[in-house]
Amino acid sequence: MTEELIKEVKHIQKCLINKGMEGEEWEEKMEIVHKLEDVATYLKDALGRGVEF
């Protein structure tokens, strides 16, 4: 299940990156992309410790 969550987070990131935005919207989008990367990292670390979500 955790691996599927990581794939979904990466998919959402890719969709956000591919969406054209400018100005403040772009800055907000990039903030969200970085936060999603933090989530993916957390999930990978948890998976490495044997924690499943």
Side-chain angles (χ1 to χ4, degrees), residues 1-46:
M1 179 71 174
T2 303
E3 291 176 9
E4 291 175 29
L5 288 172
I6 294 168
K7 288 178 186 177
E8 286 298 317
V9 168
K10 293 293 185 178
H11 175 76
I12 294 167
Q13 281 181 301
K14 186 176 181 179
C15 290
L16 282 170
I17 290 170
N18 290 334
K19 185 165 177 63
M21 293 182 179
E22 297 178 0
E24 281 186 38
E25 286 182 335
W26 183 84
E27 291 175 16
E28 289 175 1
K29 174 182 78 168
M30 293 311 296
E31 184 177 333
I32 293 167
V33 168
H34 292 293
K35 286 180 180 181
L36 287 170
E37 187 61 34
D38 290 343
V39 170
T41 300
Y42 174 80
L43 290 170
K44 287 177 190 174
D45 290 346

